[in-house]
Amino acid sequence: LWISNTGLKSTDGMEQLSKLPLRELRMSQNKMGGPIPKAVFNIQSLQYVSLSHNDHTGTLPSEVGLLTKLEELHLYGGYITGQIPPEIGNIGSSLKRLALSE
């Protein structure tokens, strides 16, 4: 699902996406704020997630460890702070790229 650079501000209804067999979720360069929606981590078929260049705040939720098929996670260009949760280790060797920065 590619909805980058659309001006999206809300993640309302995102929990409905967990019913779809998505491999990619590209929601970068929007205006989404607040914590990263935990609904993202209920889409366990995801291999690629990009939420970069949004206004998300807070920390990376421990639920990231539920995405055991994840190969790439992009969260740069936002306001995510804190430590990387140890649960990210649950992803295992499938994780090839973890892009975190300001």
Side-chain angles (χ1 to χ4, degrees):
L1 180 62
W2 198 317
I3 47 178
S4 295
N5 203 20
T6 62
L8 185 68
K9 293 181 183 180
S10 173
T11 56
D12 291 344
M14 182 172 271
E15 56 279 344
Q16 299 299 316
L17 295 177
S18 66
K19 299 174 184 176
L20 301 173
L22 296 176
R23 292 189 315 183
E24 295 187 16
L25 182 61
R26 297 175 185 251
M27 298 177 73
S28 60
Q29 297 179 325
N30 283 301
K31 300 180 188 312
M32 296 181 294
I36 296 173
K38 291 191 178 182
V40 168
F41 307 109
N42 290 330
I43 311 170
Q44 296 183 10
S45 57
L46 286 173
Q47 297 173 340
Y48 182 101
V49 175
S50 179
L51 298 172
S52 59
H53 295 291
N54 277 293
D55 295 328
H56 290 297
T57 58
T59 60
L60 180 60
S62 61
E63 287 83 358
V64 69
L66 297 173
L67 299 179
T68 57
K69 297 178 182 173
L70 194 64
E71 295 176 8
E72 292 193 35
L73 177 61
H74 298 254
L75 293 174
Y76 53 88
Y79 303 100
I80 301 299
T81 59
Q83 296 185 355
I84 297 171
E87 290 82 359
I88 203 162
N90 296 342
I91 297 172
S93 62
S94 68
L95 188 62
K96 306 290 187 247
R97 178 172 291 157
L98 177 63
L100 308 171
S101 67
E102 293 181 36

